[in-house]
Structure formats: structure tokens, C-alpha cells
Amino acid sequence: MLCGSWCRRCRPVLVMLAIDAAFAVMNIMIKKALDAGTNKLVLITLRQLVAAIVLAPIAYFRERKMRPKLTTEICVHLFFSAALGAALTQYLFLVGLQYTSATFACAFANILPVLTFFMALLFRLETLNLKQAVGISKAGGAVVCIAGALVLSLYKGVALTKAAAGGHTGGGGGGYSSRQRATATCTLFAACLCYASWFLVQSKVGKKYPAIYSGAALTFLISFLQAAALSLVLQRGFSMWLLKSKLAIATVLYSGVVGSGIGFLAMSWCVEKRGPLFAAAFTPLIQILVAVIDTSLLHTPLYLGSVLGSALVIAGLYFVLWGKSKEAQTQTQTQTQRCEVKPTECNEENKVQQQQHIV
């Protein structure tokens, strides 16, 4: 029984770790595809189409008997979820990725937990009491994560490993002009802002439309239409839609099936179970995994700044998750005490919560 309870508590953590590993591989593949000449708008559009095709039959057969009715309010939420979490975020991120390296882009994305934290505070989805250890832990962890991101992005340090012959010289945007880095910084910040907003919107979508598979399929269908419309406005001609290399085809399929389809679905589930800050707090791990791939497979040299920054990110992540864990325990204890006083009211509330979390 204790083992089952432990597995249920750790399941969201394990899911987020798997998502981060998949996203790290995807970012490396996308960077290589962009460098090879693949159009970023085409990549985004086809990626959303693949994700919608993969999720549609799963949603139809799994939720055909419990799918809620689509209302105007739900459609509006799905539209903004598609724009913020898929089409707009991906386009801005790929613009930044095209002008810098995968390491720099992923390192910059580490500001996401702090942006999400402040936006959640603004919309009262998170609480912060600096007079309690939980509040201090959450705030301090967010600050330490940002400090680690700054070290990863700005401090290079000495090389701890040697690059192989023909390997990259790598490192947070090195080899790119100041204008390119400035453009990348602006677009990556905008992408993080959109993605932080998506976490908040998705927390609402999960409550109003608990059919998570159908919601994800509809989201990707809408984002496909949004990206296609943007492509037709900004690009002309049909030649750009032809994928001319195996790398481009593999990138579209992998990013659509794993990165968008399965990853979006799993992250939506984690947001529903643990809240937007919990999911956003795992984002810095993507940069660490990208650095590992760069070092071991692509032979990019490892620098002291990467090690120090990664250590700070992990430490900050620990404090954020500790604060969230203690906060969840406190809420559970409070609810248990209230149930002992008003058992009838508590039973009705539990029924509502169970209906909202059916998947």
C-alpha cells in the first residue's frame, strides 16, 4: 500500500523527466534541420498536423462516452491554448533557435519557471507567504534557477573536456553576431512569456474540459490551422512544403508524435495534477540534457560555466519542488481536518473533484 502511494506521488515527476528528455532530443534535431534549410513555418505546421492525426483516434475511442459538450467558452480557451502553447510559442522559439545555438536557446528558456511563478501569483493560481518556510523555499528556488540560467548563458569558463576533430566549439551562442544574439534574446523571451501564459490557460482548460485526449487533439488541430494561415500570409509558393531530406522528415515525425502529441498530452496531465508551477519548474533540465547530448554525441566541449550553472539549476529546482510538496501536504491535512468536521460537505466536494479528473 505504501509502495502504491509512493508511486502515485512520484508519477508526475517521472513523467516530467521523460518529457524533458524527449524535448532535449527534439531541440537538437530541430536545430540541425533548420541549419540544413528546413523552413520553420513548414516544420511547425506539419508538426501540429502529425500530432492531431496521432491523437484524434485515441481521443475518439477512449473518450467517446464521456466527452463534454463543446461550448463557446471552451472553444475560446482551446483557441488561446493552441496559440500560446503551440503555434506562437514554437514559431518564436524557432526564430531564436535559428539565430543562435540549441544550448543558448534552452539555457534562455530557464527563465520560464520565474515567469510562470509571477504570472501565477498575478492571477492568484499560486500563493507566496515569505513568513513561512514554504514561501521562502519557492521564492528562493525560483531565484536560484534564474541565477543558474544566467551562469549558463553568460559565463563560459575554462574547457573541462576537449572537442573532437570537426566538433563544435559550442557554448551559449558563441560564434554568432551581437545582432543575432539580440534578435534571439527578444524572440526567446517572447516565446517564454507565451509559454508561461499557456501553463495558466491550460490549468483552466483541464477544469472546464476534462477530456484530456480530446482537448489535446482539438488544440493541435486548431494550432495546425493557425500555423497554416500564418504560413500562407508570410510565405509564398509550394516548393517550401517539400521535405527534401531524411532529417527533415524524421524531425517532423518525431516532433509531431513525441514532442507535440505525447509531450503535450503528458504535460497537460502534469499541469492538471500538480499545477502550472510544478510543470514549469522542470524546464531547466532540458538545457542540462541538451548539454549532455552536445558533449557526448556531438563532441561539444564542456565548460566550467555549464557545470556551475547546472548545479544551481538543480539546487533551485529542488527548493521549488520541496516547497510545492510541503504546500500540498498542508492542503491535504487541512482538507482532512475539515472532512472530520463536515463529512457530508467533504463527500460532495470529493465527488466533484473525481468527475473533474476523469481521463
Coordinates of all heavy atoms in Angstrom, one line a residue, residues 12-24 195 258-259 262-268 270 286 289:
P12 N 4.0 12.0 -11.5 CA 4.2 13.3 -12.2 C 5.7 13.7 -12.4 O 6.1 14.2 -13.5 CB 3.5 14.3 -11.4 CG 2.5 13.5 -10.6 CD 3.1 12.2 -10.3
V13 N 6.5 13.4 -11.4 CA 7.9 13.7 -11.5 C 8.6 12.9 -12.6 O 9.3 13.4 -13.5 CB 8.7 13.5 -10.2 CG1 10.2 13.7 -10.3 CG2 8.1 14.4 -9.1
L14 N 8.3 11.6 -12.6 CA 8.9 10.7 -13.7 C 8.4 11.1 -15.1 O 9.1 11.0 -16.0 CB 8.5 9.2 -13.4 CG 9.0 8.7 -12.0 CD1 8.5 7.3 -11.8 CD2 10.5 8.7 -12.0
V15 N 7.1 11.5 -15.2 CA 6.6 11.9 -16.5 C 7.3 13.1 -17.0 O 7.7 13.2 -18.1 CB 5.0 12.1 -16.3 CG1 4.5 12.8 -17.6 CG2 4.3 10.8 -16.1
M16 N 7.5 14.1 -16.1 CA 8.2 15.3 -16.5 C 9.6 15.1 -16.9 O 10.1 15.7 -17.8 CB 8.1 16.4 -15.4 CG 6.7 17.0 -15.1 SD 6.1 17.8 -16.6 CE 7.4 18.9 -17.1
L17 N 10.3 14.2 -16.2 CA 11.7 13.8 -16.6 C 11.7 13.2 -18.0 O 12.6 13.5 -18.8 CB 12.3 12.8 -15.6 CG 12.6 13.4 -14.2 CD1 13.0 12.3 -13.2 CD2 13.6 14.5 -14.2
A18 N 10.7 12.3 -18.3 CA 10.7 11.7 -19.6 C 10.4 12.8 -20.7 O 10.9 12.8 -21.8 CB 9.6 10.6 -19.6
I19 N 9.5 13.7 -20.3 CA 9.2 14.8 -21.3 C 10.4 15.6 -21.6 O 10.7 16.0 -22.7 CB 8.1 15.7 -20.7 CG1 6.7 14.9 -20.6 CG2 7.9 17.0 -21.5 CD1 5.6 15.7 -19.9
D20 N 11.2 16.0 -20.5 CA 12.4 16.8 -20.7 C 13.4 16.1 -21.6 O 14.1 16.7 -22.5 CB 13.0 17.1 -19.4 CG 12.2 18.2 -18.7 OD1 11.3 18.8 -19.3 OD2 12.5 18.5 -17.5
A21 N 13.6 14.8 -21.4 CA 14.5 14.0 -22.2 C 14.1 14.0 -23.7 O 14.9 14.2 -24.6 CB 14.6 12.6 -21.7
A22 N 12.8 13.8 -23.9 CA 12.2 13.9 -25.3 C 12.4 15.2 -25.9 O 12.8 15.4 -27.1 CB 10.8 13.5 -25.3
F23 N 12.2 16.3 -25.2 CA 12.3 17.6 -25.7 C 13.8 18.0 -26.0 O 14.0 18.7 -27.0 CB 11.7 18.7 -24.7 CG 10.2 18.7 -24.7 CD1 9.6 19.6 -23.8 CD2 9.5 18.0 -25.5 CE1 8.2 19.7 -23.8 CE2 8.1 18.0 -25.5 CZ 7.4 18.9 -24.7
A24 N 14.7 17.5 -25.2 CA 16.1 17.7 -25.4 C 16.5 17.1 -26.8 O 17.2 17.8 -27.6 CB 16.9 17.2 -24.3
Y195 N 4.7 30.8 -23.4 CA 4.6 29.5 -22.9 C 4.1 29.6 -21.4 O 3.4 28.7 -20.9 CB 5.9 28.8 -23.0 CG 5.9 27.3 -23.0 CD1 4.7 26.7 -23.5 CD2 6.9 26.6 -22.5 CE1 4.7 25.3 -23.5 CE2 6.9 25.2 -22.5 CZ 5.7 24.5 -23.0 OH 5.7 23.2 -23.0
V258 N 6.1 12.6 -30.8 CA 6.7 12.6 -29.4 C 6.7 14.0 -28.8 O 6.1 14.2 -27.7 CB 8.1 12.1 -29.4 CG1 8.7 12.1 -28.0 CG2 8.1 10.7 -30.0
G259 N 7.2 15.0 -29.5 CA 7.3 16.4 -28.9 C 6.0 17.0 -28.7 O 5.8 17.6 -27.6
I262 N 2.5 13.3 -27.7 CA 2.7 12.7 -26.4 C 3.1 13.7 -25.4 O 2.7 13.7 -24.2 CB 3.7 11.5 -26.5 CG1 3.1 10.4 -27.5 CG2 3.9 10.9 -25.2 CD1 4.1 9.3 -27.8
G263 N 4.1 14.5 -25.7 CA 4.6 15.5 -24.8 C 3.6 16.5 -24.3 O 3.5 16.8 -23.1
F264 N 2.8 17.0 -25.2 CA 1.7 18.0 -24.8 C 0.7 17.3 -23.9 O 0.3 17.9 -22.9 CB 1.1 18.5 -26.1 CG 0.1 19.6 -25.9 CD1 0.5 20.9 -26.0 CD2 -1.2 19.4 -25.6 CE1 -0.4 22.0 -25.9 CE2 -2.1 20.4 -25.4 CZ -1.7 21.7 -25.5
L265 N 0.3 16.1 -24.3 CA -0.7 15.3 -23.5 C -0.2 15.1 -22.1 O -0.9 15.3 -21.1 CB -1.0 14.0 -24.2 CG -2.1 13.2 -23.7 CD1 -3.4 14.0 -23.8 CD2 -2.2 11.9 -24.4
A266 N 1.1 14.6 -22.0 CA 1.7 14.3 -20.7 C 1.8 15.5 -19.8 O 1.6 15.5 -18.6 CB 3.0 13.6 -20.9
M267 N 2.3 16.6 -20.5 CA 2.4 17.9 -19.7 C 1.1 18.4 -19.2 O 1.0 19.0 -18.1 CB 3.2 18.9 -20.5 CG 3.6 20.1 -19.8 SD 4.7 21.2 -20.7 CE 6.2 20.2 -20.8
S268 N 0.1 18.3 -20.1 CA -1.3 18.8 -19.7 C -1.7 18.0 -18.4 O -2.3 18.5 -17.5 CB -2.3 18.6 -20.8 OG -1.9 19.4 -21.9
C270 N 0.2 16.6 -16.2 CA 1.0 17.1 -15.0 C 0.5 18.4 -14.5 O 0.5 18.7 -13.3 CB 2.5 17.2 -15.4 SG 3.3 15.6 -15.7
I286 N 15.9 20.6 -19.3 CA 16.1 20.4 -20.8 C 17.5 20.9 -21.2 O 18.2 20.2 -22.0 CB 15.0 21.1 -21.6 CG1 13.6 20.5 -21.2 CG2 15.2 21.0 -23.1 CD1 12.4 21.2 -21.9
L289 N 20.2 18.4 -20.3 CA 20.2 17.2 -21.1 C 20.7 17.6 -22.5 O 21.5 16.8 -23.1 CB 18.8 16.7 -21.3 CG 18.2 16.1 -20.0 CD1 16.7 15.7 -20.2 CD2 19.0 14.9 -19.5

